[in-house]
Amino acid sequence: MMARKLRPATALTAALLSILSTSAFAADSVAIPAQTVDAALHAKLPADIQKSGVMTSVNNGSFPPYEIVTGNNTLDGASSDLADALAGVLGVKIEHASVSGMSGILSGMAAGRYQLAMGPIGDYPDRQAKNDFIDFVKEYVVFAVHKGNPQNINSLDDTCGKRIAVMAGGSAEQVIRKQSDVCVKAGKPAVTIQSFSDQPTSILAVRSNRSDAFFSSQAPLTYFVDKASGQLELAGKGKSNGFGDIYQGTLVPKDSAIRDVILAGYQKLFDNGTYAIIMKKWGLQDNMVAAPGINLAKAQP
């Protein structure tokens, strides 16, 4: 099995990020309701957060249409809108910080540099051992391929001998590594696994013919395909592709004092309609869930 962690092509990545700065889904006319501070929830926040009035949410780069990094500490997208609304409910400011890869998020959280990662980040039982998830969406994993799907990649079985881009440290990388082992045991070529630190660089690898496909979450891939001027399409839709039900949510340290406060804050956004407005604004209505919950994932992919 071949596995490579590739660095971004700086100039090309910068160009792609500039294209991504304007969403294909977001409508400027969509008004997100102003939130009223819930004094009872604010009082349940840890004393240091109440005193500073700030929580820091960490991300690992652009994950459109949820997280679109627009500067060193600035963010756009559905998760940015949700963060602003949640901050309004809790009576604090939620600031944003970017790190490299999932490992950067997890180590930063463990070190106490960040209170949460809005995400959404994939919720799996093995991650629940050291972290808790406040789940607010369901996701599906598919392939972004060249228009016309010249490599005929429609399922995991079709990835043997192909160059497949994935997010480093993510659940899709785990699944594609297992599939590569399956290929080898069946006497077929291993998957060439290309691990990237962010979504834009991964999709750029497909557009520039360095990868045959990008295996990742359907929501961002729908966004990228829409922005690719007819160069790409989605493949493998409607199939399990190595996954069961996929819940994603906001990550906090295990048994964090803010976990239940964030859950209650999300519930208010669900109840008052703000959650639905934000999700529909960004074309994510198919990823909505009926209610937020803690560690909803019960099975490992």
Side-chain angles (χ1 to χ4, degrees), residues 229-249:
S229 303
Q231 296 179 18
L232 305 176
E233 65 182 60
L234 293 183
K237 294 177 66 175
K239 300 177 181 179
S240 63
N241 292 323
F243 291 83
D245 287 339
I246 303 173
Y247 290 96
Q248 295 182 336

PDB file of all heavy atoms in Angstrom, residues 229-249:
ATOM      1  N   SER A 229     -16.673  24.600 -12.491  1.00  0.00           N
ATOM      2  CA  SER A 229     -16.934  24.993 -13.885  1.00  0.00           C
ATOM      3  C   SER A 229     -17.098  23.798 -14.819  1.00  0.00           C
ATOM      4  O   SER A 229     -16.569  23.781 -15.938  1.00  0.00           O
ATOM      5  CB  SER A 229     -15.809  25.903 -14.395  1.00  0.00           C
ATOM      6  OG  SER A 229     -15.659  27.041 -13.575  1.00  0.00           O
ATOM      7  N   GLY A 230     -17.799  22.780 -14.345  1.00  0.00           N
ATOM      8  CA  GLY A 230     -18.092  21.634 -15.189  1.00  0.00           C
ATOM      9  C   GLY A 230     -16.964  20.628 -15.320  1.00  0.00           C
ATOM     10  O   GLY A 230     -17.086  19.666 -16.084  1.00  0.00           O
ATOM     11  N   GLN A 231     -15.858  20.796 -14.564  1.00  0.00           N
ATOM     12  CA  GLN A 231     -14.727  19.883 -14.672  1.00  0.00           C
ATOM     13  C   GLN A 231     -14.922  18.598 -13.872  1.00  0.00           C
ATOM     14  O   GLN A 231     -14.281  17.585 -14.163  1.00  0.00           O
ATOM     15  CB  GLN A 231     -13.448  20.558 -14.191  1.00  0.00           C
ATOM     16  CG  GLN A 231     -13.016  21.755 -15.026  1.00  0.00           C
ATOM     17  CD  GLN A 231     -11.750  22.388 -14.467  1.00  0.00           C
ATOM     18  OE1 GLN A 231     -11.028  21.768 -13.698  1.00  0.00           O
ATOM     19  NE2 GLN A 231     -11.483  23.622 -14.853  1.00  0.00           N
ATOM     20  N   LEU A 232     -15.781  18.629 -12.850  1.00  0.00           N
ATOM     21  CA  LEU A 232     -15.914  17.505 -11.927  1.00  0.00           C
ATOM     22  C   LEU A 232     -17.362  17.062 -11.812  1.00  0.00           C
ATOM     23  O   LEU A 232     -18.290  17.789 -12.182  1.00  0.00           O
ATOM     24  CB  LEU A 232     -15.390  17.895 -10.540  1.00  0.00           C
ATOM     25  CG  LEU A 232     -13.961  18.437 -10.435  1.00  0.00           C
ATOM     26  CD1 LEU A 232     -13.664  18.856  -9.005  1.00  0.00           C
ATOM     27  CD2 LEU A 232     -12.959  17.402 -10.913  1.00  0.00           C
ATOM     28  N   GLU A 233     -17.540  15.861 -11.245  1.00  0.00           N
ATOM     29  CA  GLU A 233     -18.862  15.365 -10.907  1.00  0.00           C
ATOM     30  C   GLU A 233     -18.748  14.457  -9.692  1.00  0.00           C
ATOM     31  O   GLU A 233     -17.650  14.038  -9.307  1.00  0.00           O
ATOM     32  CB  GLU A 233     -19.497  14.616 -12.083  1.00  0.00           C
ATOM     33  CG  GLU A 233     -18.767  13.343 -12.485  1.00  0.00           C
ATOM     34  CD  GLU A 233     -19.411  12.675 -13.689  1.00  0.00           C
ATOM     35  OE1 GLU A 233     -19.492  13.316 -14.765  1.00  0.00           O
ATOM     36  OE2 GLU A 233     -19.816  11.497 -13.556  1.00  0.00           O
ATOM     37  N   LEU A 234     -19.881  14.139  -9.085  1.00  0.00           N
ATOM     38  CA  LEU A 234     -19.903  13.231  -7.942  1.00  0.00           C
ATOM     39  C   LEU A 234     -20.139  11.801  -8.422  1.00  0.00           C
ATOM     40  O   LEU A 234     -20.881  11.572  -9.382  1.00  0.00           O
ATOM     41  CB  LEU A 234     -20.996  13.625  -6.952  1.00  0.00           C
ATOM     42  CG  LEU A 234     -20.826  14.944  -6.220  1.00  0.00           C
ATOM     43  CD1 LEU A 234     -21.972  15.141  -5.231  1.00  0.00           C
ATOM     44  CD2 LEU A 234     -19.488  15.017  -5.496  1.00  0.00           C
ATOM     45  N   ALA A 235     -19.516  10.841  -7.755  1.00  0.00           N
ATOM     46  CA  ALA A 235     -19.700   9.427  -8.061  1.00  0.00           C
ATOM     47  C   ALA A 235     -19.857   8.651  -6.758  1.00  0.00           C
ATOM     48  O   ALA A 235     -19.384   9.080  -5.709  1.00  0.00           O
ATOM     49  CB  ALA A 235     -18.502   8.889  -8.847  1.00  0.00           C
ATOM     50  N   GLY A 236     -20.536   7.522  -6.831  1.00  0.00           N
ATOM     51  CA  GLY A 236     -20.721   6.692  -5.644  1.00  0.00           C
ATOM     52  C   GLY A 236     -21.828   7.162  -4.734  1.00  0.00           C
ATOM     53  O   GLY A 236     -21.902   6.721  -3.574  1.00  0.00           O
ATOM     54  N   LYS A 237     -22.705   8.033  -5.216  1.00  0.00           N
ATOM     55  CA  LYS A 237     -23.818   8.490  -4.386  1.00  0.00           C
ATOM     56  C   LYS A 237     -24.807   7.355  -4.165  1.00  0.00           C
ATOM     57  O   LYS A 237     -24.966   6.473  -5.003  1.00  0.00           O
ATOM     58  CB  LYS A 237     -24.518   9.677  -5.059  1.00  0.00           C
ATOM     59  CG  LYS A 237     -23.678  10.929  -5.162  1.00  0.00           C
ATOM     60  CD  LYS A 237     -24.408  12.038  -5.913  1.00  0.00           C
ATOM     61  CE  LYS A 237     -25.611  12.516  -5.153  1.00  0.00           C
ATOM     62  NZ  LYS A 237     -26.262  13.675  -5.824  1.00  0.00           N
ATOM     63  N   GLY A 238     -25.444   7.357  -2.995  1.00  0.00           N
ATOM     64  CA  GLY A 238     -26.449   6.352  -2.691  1.00  0.00           C
ATOM     65  C   GLY A 238     -25.888   5.012  -2.255  1.00  0.00           C
ATOM     66  O   GLY A 238     -26.632   4.042  -2.150  1.00  0.00           O
ATOM     67  N   LYS A 239     -24.572   4.941  -2.014  1.00  0.00           N
ATOM     68  CA  LYS A 239     -23.939   3.705  -1.569  1.00  0.00           C
ATOM     69  C   LYS A 239     -23.291   3.916  -0.200  1.00  0.00           C
ATOM     70  O   LYS A 239     -22.945   5.033   0.166  1.00  0.00           O
ATOM     71  CB  LYS A 239     -22.892   3.252  -2.587  1.00  0.00           C
ATOM     72  CG  LYS A 239     -23.470   2.990  -3.978  1.00  0.00           C
ATOM     73  CD  LYS A 239     -22.391   2.607  -4.974  1.00  0.00           C
ATOM     74  CE  LYS A 239     -22.991   2.376  -6.354  1.00  0.00           C
ATOM     75  NZ  LYS A 239     -21.959   2.026  -7.360  1.00  0.00           N
ATOM     76  N   SER A 240     -23.082   2.817   0.529  1.00  0.00           N
ATOM     77  CA  SER A 240     -22.511   2.958   1.873  1.00  0.00           C
ATOM     78  C   SER A 240     -21.049   3.377   1.818  1.00  0.00           C
ATOM     79  O   SER A 240     -20.566   4.082   2.710  1.00  0.00           O
ATOM     80  CB  SER A 240     -22.641   1.637   2.639  1.00  0.00           C
ATOM     81  OG  SER A 240     -21.897   0.606   1.996  1.00  0.00           O
ATOM     82  N   ASN A 241     -20.324   2.917   0.797  1.00  0.00           N
ATOM     83  CA  ASN A 241     -18.910   3.282   0.633  1.00  0.00           C
ATOM     84  C   ASN A 241     -18.090   3.098   1.911  1.00  0.00           C
ATOM     85  O   ASN A 241     -17.240   3.926   2.261  1.00  0.00           O
ATOM     86  CB  ASN A 241     -18.797   4.725   0.126  1.00  0.00           C
ATOM     87  CG  ASN A 241     -19.304   4.875  -1.300  1.00  0.00           C
ATOM     88  OD1 ASN A 241     -19.121   3.998  -2.133  1.00  0.00           O
ATOM     89  ND2 ASN A 241     -19.978   5.987  -1.570  1.00  0.00           N
ATOM     90  N   GLY A 242     -18.359   2.002   2.611  1.00  0.00           N
ATOM     91  CA  GLY A 242     -17.575   1.677   3.794  1.00  0.00           C
ATOM     92  C   GLY A 242     -18.051   2.306   5.083  1.00  0.00           C
ATOM     93  O   GLY A 242     -17.435   2.118   6.137  1.00  0.00           O
ATOM     94  N   PHE A 243     -19.153   3.044   5.036  1.00  0.00           N
ATOM     95  CA  PHE A 243     -19.652   3.740   6.214  1.00  0.00           C
ATOM     96  C   PHE A 243     -21.074   3.314   6.533  1.00  0.00           C
ATOM     97  O   PHE A 243     -21.846   2.934   5.653  1.00  0.00           O
ATOM     98  CB  PHE A 243     -19.646   5.256   5.986  1.00  0.00           C
ATOM     99  CG  PHE A 243     -18.276   5.869   5.912  1.00  0.00           C
ATOM    100  CD1 PHE A 243     -17.566   5.856   4.727  1.00  0.00           C
ATOM    101  CD2 PHE A 243     -17.700   6.461   7.022  1.00  0.00           C
ATOM    102  CE1 PHE A 243     -16.306   6.432   4.647  1.00  0.00           C
ATOM    103  CE2 PHE A 243     -16.448   7.034   6.957  1.00  0.00           C
ATOM    104  CZ  PHE A 243     -15.742   7.017   5.770  1.00  0.00           C
ATOM    105  N   GLY A 244     -21.422   3.413   7.811  1.00  0.00           N
ATOM    106  CA  GLY A 244     -22.810   3.296   8.223  1.00  0.00           C
ATOM    107  C   GLY A 244     -23.380   4.695   8.354  1.00  0.00           C
ATOM    108  O   GLY A 244     -23.022   5.598   7.601  1.00  0.00           O
ATOM    109  N   ASP A 245     -24.272   4.900   9.329  1.00  0.00           N
ATOM    110  CA  ASP A 245     -24.776   6.249   9.582  1.00  0.00           C
ATOM    111  C   ASP A 245     -23.620   7.132  10.055  1.00  0.00           C
ATOM    112  O   ASP A 245     -22.859   6.757  10.957  1.00  0.00           O
ATOM    113  CB  ASP A 245     -25.866   6.230  10.656  1.00  0.00           C
ATOM    114  CG  ASP A 245     -27.168   5.653  10.135  1.00  0.00           C
ATOM    115  OD1 ASP A 245     -27.360   5.646   8.905  1.00  0.00           O
ATOM    116  OD2 ASP A 245     -27.992   5.215  10.958  1.00  0.00           O
ATOM    117  N   ILE A 246     -23.495   8.297   9.447  1.00  0.00           N
ATOM    118  CA  ILE A 246     -22.415   9.212   9.797  1.00  0.00           C
ATOM    119  C   ILE A 246     -22.993  10.456  10.459  1.00  0.00           C
ATOM    120  O   ILE A 246     -23.714  11.232   9.828  1.00  0.00           O
ATOM    121  CB  ILE A 246     -21.611   9.634   8.557  1.00  0.00           C
ATOM    122  CG1 ILE A 246     -21.049   8.415   7.837  1.00  0.00           C
ATOM    123  CG2 ILE A 246     -20.486  10.580   8.950  1.00  0.00           C
ATOM    124  CD1 ILE A 246     -20.398   8.743   6.512  1.00  0.00           C
ATOM    125  N   TYR A 247     -22.681  10.617  11.726  1.00  0.00           N
ATOM    126  CA  TYR A 247     -23.058  11.840  12.431  1.00  0.00           C
ATOM    127  C   TYR A 247     -21.829  12.731  12.550  1.00  0.00           C
ATOM    128  O   TYR A 247     -20.707  12.243  12.727  1.00  0.00           O
ATOM    129  CB  TYR A 247     -23.610  11.518  13.823  1.00  0.00           C
ATOM    130  CG  TYR A 247     -24.964  10.848  13.803  1.00  0.00           C
ATOM    131  CD1 TYR A 247     -25.076   9.460  13.890  1.00  0.00           C
ATOM    132  CD2 TYR A 247     -26.123  11.597  13.665  1.00  0.00           C
ATOM    133  CE1 TYR A 247     -26.309   8.837  13.848  1.00  0.00           C
ATOM    134  CE2 TYR A 247     -27.370  10.980  13.636  1.00  0.00           C
ATOM    135  CZ  TYR A 247     -27.455   9.604  13.720  1.00  0.00           C
ATOM    136  OH  TYR A 247     -28.681   8.985  13.685  1.00  0.00           O
ATOM    137  N   GLN A 248     -22.042  14.014  12.453  1.00  0.00           N
ATOM    138  CA  GLN A 248     -20.962  14.980  12.602  1.00  0.00           C
ATOM    139  C   GLN A 248     -21.406  16.092  13.546  1.00  0.00           C
ATOM    140  O   GLN A 248     -22.592  16.425  13.612  1.00  0.00           O
ATOM    141  CB  GLN A 248     -20.570  15.578  11.252  1.00  0.00           C
ATOM    142  CG  GLN A 248     -19.986  14.591  10.271  1.00  0.00           C
ATOM    143  CD  GLN A 248     -19.573  15.240   8.963  1.00  0.00           C
ATOM    144  OE1 GLN A 248     -20.079  16.285   8.588  1.00  0.00           O
ATOM    145  NE2 GLN A 248     -18.645  14.610   8.268  1.00  0.00           N
ATOM    146  N   GLY A 249     -20.443  16.643  14.248  1.00  0.00           N
ATOM    147  CA  GLY A 249     -20.821  17.697  15.186  1.00  0.00           C
ATOM    148  C   GLY A 249     -19.651  18.491  15.692  1.00  0.00           C
ATOM    149  O   GLY A 249     -18.529  18.414  15.198  1.00  0.00           O
TER     150      GLY A 249
END
